[in-house]
Amino acid sequence: MELKNYMEKLVMEKLDIVIKANRTTCNCERCRYDIAALALNSLPTRYVATSSGATYSKIDSLDQQFHVDIVSAITQAITIVKKTPHH
């Protein structure tokens, strides 16, 4: 059994899409991880430990507002990282 923050998976899935939409965003590994970390810190965690828990979280993630919140958190994180990149 493994404990996993399902929100991390969702953020990483959307990260490339949002970075590509913000063309002036650095796409280096360090900036990508900084953006993901900042976004995850502003979003609620969704830990799963079993396959039934993963199924519940996947159903929850289908909500439109859920996706809007993720994209918004990534966009805000991009703004912060652009101002003070660590690369």
Side-chain angles (χ1 to χ4, degrees), residues 5-20:
N5 181 1
Y6 188 67
M7 186 63 75
E8 181 179 344
K9 179 181 184 302
L10 296 175
V11 166
M12 296 310 284
E13 286 175 358
K14 296 241 182 260
L15 189 63
D16 286 331
I17 297 165
V18 180
I19 286 176
K20 285 179 185 175

Side-chain angles (χ1 to χ4, degrees), residues 8 21 27 29 45 68 72:
E8 181 179 344
N27 197 24
E29 184 178 26
T45 55
V68 170
S72 176

Side-chain angles (χ1 to χ4, degrees), residues 59-79:
I59 292 168
D60 190 30
S61 73
L62 297 176
D63 180 63
Q64 182 66 26
Q65 187 61 47
F66 199 67
H67 289 283
V68 170
D69 292 346
I70 292 170
V71 171
S72 176
I74 293 171
T75 303
Q76 289 172 5
I78 285 172
T79 301

Side-chain angles (χ1 to χ4, degrees), residues 3 10 20 29-30 42 44 53 56 74 81 87:
L3 189 61
L10 296 175
K20 285 179 185 175
E29 184 178 26
R30 177 62 193 237
S42 69
Y56 178 78
I74 293 171
V81 171
H87 59 244

